[in-house]
Amino acid sequence: MLTEHFPWLTTLVLLPLVAILPIPVLPDRNGQTLRWYALGVGCIEFSLILYTFTHFYHLDQSGLQLVERYNWISQLNLTWSLGADGLAMPLVILSGLVTTLAILASWNISRRPRLYFSLLLMMYSAQVGVFLAQDLVMFFLMWELELVPVYLLISIWGGQKRLYAATKFILYTAIGSIFILVAALAMAFYGDTVTFNLADLAQKQYSLSFQLLMYAAFLVAFAVKLPIFPLHTWLPDAHSEAPAAVSMILAGVLLKMAGYGLIRMNIELLPDAHVYFAPVLVVLGVINIIYASLTAFAQDNLKRRMAYSSVAHMGFVLIGCASFTTLGMSGAMLQMISHGLIAAVMFFLSGVTYDRTHTLDMAAMGGMGRKMPTTFAFFTAASMGSLALPGMSGFVSEIAVFLGLATSDIYSTVFRTAIIVLAAVGVILSPIYLLSMLRRIFYGETGEVVSKVSGILDIRPREVFVAACLMVPIIGIGVYPKLATQVYDLKTVEVASQIQQNLLLASQPGTLYAHILSLPQAATVATVPELPAGQIN
């Protein structure tokens, strides 16, 4: 059929970008036409994502599908190379859902609407391009393309300290991105052939010292965006000043780009180095969870508290990626999907609250549950998902990470026990600071600022629709996790198996890694207990 040979992935990447071209000349006086146009483009793009996924993507295959490869700059072996697998496809769907809803959440934007919606569509294109790119230079260019819209959206439509927050964001992320380019060039020119294609790079035989250097370079770049302590400080500032729709995309999608890059570049391309860095990732993950959870208590700014909550939750992604088990890797992927949905709805609801009160200071709020009961209900439900209440997606993802690490025989018993106990402390802290947030906003006496605002309106139908579209998959995945896990199960099994094989070689007696922790010998490692694909259902 003709549709099977159609360049679907190229269309998905370029459609939002091409759709920007008519925006400067669209006849529009009050921004109404621009809103509907941008929303129409977002809905068409998301519909194409779902159509491509349901009609041409096969869940029973773990390798790349829908591969498109065109010569770009032949002299440098640069190609326009796209492909989808179990790592990319669920995040592309997440990106489509969150970004389309963010456009709908921006309905009241009246300042420079042409530029605003153009930047949102540019971000849409860049996000999809990052997840689908199979050329390292193309990945880097899409990664960079996303930075400029975020910077402008914060610096123009942000809060009082928007310039500071936007400048800090661009400095951190742009400097971090340099490490991606350096690593890409070094890996491409390593050996006898020059290539930037990910499949070709994976076939090269890198020395261990080279892998360790490249892994460190990628890790720095992704540590900034994930974010990992101590490179996280830009995130609370960016969230506190960004418009709600931008925070939805920033927390819901952009942080996942780093998690995706960690699996795609660090683990798949550099598996030998990952064996050595895995304990470091586990420790960094626990630091993220404990530090961010404790810091969240000290935040009176609503969005800053939720920003630190994001830092804590992304720590589970690091632990899952470094667990050496299929279950842990599956939990890391599910945590990215789950957190993307939960963070998006929570930052959206914070925007709803800000629109009514014009403050993010929780000390000035209070008693809003009586004035905004529906908003209160949605905020409570989203918080329950964030604190990993059973029946919500956050519970399934976090318990999978815990079990993945607990059933791994790679680390010593003492190490595993310490990590699980410390991470569990973070899980206990999470409901405390989230429930405290709900109490300060919605319970008690009416706050100083709220009391001065007359006629506070509850959440409107358009806003109910946005929040419901995010809450439905949160509950759906919590009740039936296979909705998400079936998309990536085969791929996570493949990645975990690859890492275990590399571990067998690295843990031979006499090697450096065999002395880092109390590891079992190679024969024992070969029998690491693994749960089969689809176990989380």
Side-chain angles (χ1 to χ4, degrees):
M1 295 178 62
L2 180 62
T3 53
E4 294 180 356
H5 302 286
F6 186 79
W8 291 107
L9 300 189
T10 297
T11 303
L12 294 179
V13 173
L14 294 182
L15 175 61
L17 207 57
V18 174
I20 297 174
L21 298 178
I23 288 181
V25 296
L26 280 179
D28 184 68
R29 290 185 178 180
N30 57 5
Q32 194 72 8
T33 303
L34 289 170
R35 296 173 194 142
W36 282 107
Y37 175 79
L39 181 61
V41 173
C43 290
I44 292 172
E45 172 76 359
F46 186 49
S47 298
L48 284 176
I49 290 173
L50 294 179
Y51 178 80
T52 303
F53 172 72
T54 55
H55 286 73
F56 306 109
Y57 185 84
H58 303 286
L59 297 178
D60 58 352
Q61 299 178 19
S62 63
L64 282 177
Q65 303 179 46
L66 300 168
V67 177
E68 300 169 14
R69 191 172 182 178
Y70 310 100
N71 287 332
W72 187 7
I73 304 177
S74 302
Q75 294 84 347
L76 297 177
N77 287 333
L78 295 181
T79 59
W80 177 272
S81 183
L82 301 171
D85 61 8
L87 298 180
M89 207 53 168
L91 296 178
V92 170
I93 296 173
L94 175 68
S95 176
L97 175 63
V98 172
T99 308
T100 301
L101 292 176
I103 295 174
L104 184 57
S106 305
W107 214 246
N108 293 329
I109 292 294
S110 58
R111 182 184 182 189
R112 300 184 186 179
R114 295 182 191 274
L115 178 59
Y116 181 89
F117 289 109
S118 295
L119 293 173
L120 282 186
L121 292 177
M122 187 181 296
M123 288 176 64
Y124 208 155
S125 182
Q127 294 158 20
V128 174
V130 165
F131 295 130
L132 295 178
Q134 296 301 315
D135 181 278
L136 203 44
V137 170
M138 183 180 175
F139 174 88
F140 170 76
L141 293 177
M142 291 295 173
W143 185 279
E144 291 293 287
L145 180 62
E146 163 266 331
L147 300 183
V148 177
V150 178
Y151 170 78
L152 293 175
L153 287 166
I154 296 176
S155 61
I156 297 176
W157 289 273
Q160 293 182 348
K161 299 180 180 179
R162 58 186 181 274
L163 293 180
Y164 169 78
T167 302
K168 192 172 184 179
F169 163 80
I170 198 68
L171 285 176
Y172 270 71
T173 53
I175 292 174
S177 301
I178 294 174
F179 289 90
I180 297 178
L181 180 60
V182 171
L185 293 173
M187 294 177 68
F189 286 93
Y190 187 93
D192 299 329
T193 59
V194 178
T195 180
F196 292 94
N197 185 268
L198 296 183
D200 296 334
L201 291 174
Q203 298 302 316
K204 287 191 175 185
Q205 301 297 318
Y206 304 107
S207 66
L208 178 58
S209 58
F210 181 83
Q211 281 203 40
L212 292 172
L213 287 174
M214 295 304 100
Y215 194 104
F218 280 125
L219 183 58
V220 170
F222 300 142
V224 173
K225 186 67 71 70
L226 194 64
I228 300 175
F229 176 89
L231 303 177
H232 68 287
T233 57
W234 64 271
L235 185 66
D237 292 317
H239 273 309
S240 62
E241 301 302 325
V246 178
S247 288
M248 287 173 64
I249 300 174
L250 185 59
V253 182
L254 300 192
L255 302 189
K256 313 308 171 290
M257 289 166 50
Y260 168 82
L262 186 67
I263 300 175
R264 180 72 77 192
M265 308 303 170
N266 292 67
I267 298 179
E268 282 204 300
L269 292 186
L270 305 165
D272 292 334
H274 179 67
V275 171
Y276 289 84
F277 272 94
V280 178
L281 294 186
V282 173
V283 173
L284 289 174
V286 170
I287 293 174
N288 260 38
I289 295 169
I290 298 296
Y291 165 80
S293 297
L294 291 173
T295 307
F297 282 107
Q299 307 305 313
D300 287 326
N301 183 289
L302 174 60
K303 293 179 72 173
R304 288 185 71 91
R305 177 168 292 202
M306 291 192 294
Y308 278 105
S309 176
S310 292
V311 176
H313 284 90
M314 295 307 289
F316 288 98
V317 175
L318 293 175
I319 296 175
C321 288
S323 66
F324 291 103
T325 62
T326 299
L327 187 56
M329 186 66 69
S330 178
M333 277 296 299
L334 190 57
Q335 177 71 351
M336 286 195 284
I337 298 170
S338 170
H339 179 264
L341 296 168
I342 294 171
V345 70
M346 291 198 69
F347 278 109
F348 169 70
L349 292 171
S350 72
V352 171
T353 304
Y354 179 80
D355 286 341
R356 274 63 169 180
T357 63
H358 304 291
T359 183
L360 291 171
D361 185 5
M362 290 187 291
M365 299 182 188
M368 291 180 58
R370 294 185 294 272
K371 296 177 178 291
M372 304 175 66
T374 308
T375 304
F376 173 40
F378 272 112
F379 227 126
T380 302
S383 298
M384 294 303 105
S386 184
L387 60 81
L389 183 75
M392 300 284 195
S393 59
F395 172 79
V396 185
S397 59
E398 291 184 13
I399 199 67
V401 171
F402 274 112
L403 292 176
L405 184 64
T407 58
S408 174
D409 287 340
I410 305 306
Y411 301 105
S412 66
T413 302
V414 173
F415 183 79
R416 276 183 293 153
T417 302
I419 294 299
I420 291 172
V421 169
L422 290 173
V425 171
V427 173
I428 296 172
L429 292 174
S430 175
I432 297 176
Y433 66 73
L434 287 171
L435 294 177
S436 170
M437 177 185 73
L438 292 176
R439 176 184 58 79
R440 297 179 67 182
I441 298 173
F442 296 104
Y443 289 92
E445 298 296 327
T446 302
E448 177 184 353
V449 172
V450 177
S451 62
K452 296 179 181 178
V453 180
S454 60
I456 290 183
L457 298 176
D458 203 356
I459 189 170
R460 298 182 178 90
R462 171 182 58 84
E463 296 163 333
V464 169
F465 178 79
V466 173
C469 285
L470 293 167
M471 286 305 305
V472 167
I474 291 171
I475 298 173
I477 294 173
V479 174
Y480 188 63
K482 197 172 182 179
L483 288 172
T485 60
Q486 64 181 339
V487 182
Y488 60 76
D489 264 335
L490 292 179
K491 185 62 181 181
T492 51
V493 169
E494 179 184 283
V495 173
S497 299
Q498 178 188 11
I499 296 303
Q500 289 169 9
Q501 291 301 317
N502 286 86
L503 182 64
L504 289 175
L505 300 176
S507 62
Q508 295 292 337
T511 59
L512 174 63
Y513 191 71
H515 301 289
I516 294 180
L517 295 172
S518 299
L519 290 173
Q521 296 301 319
T524 307
V525 174
T527 60
V528 173
E530 279 297 318
L531 293 180
Q535 187 70 26
I536 313 176
N537 53 42

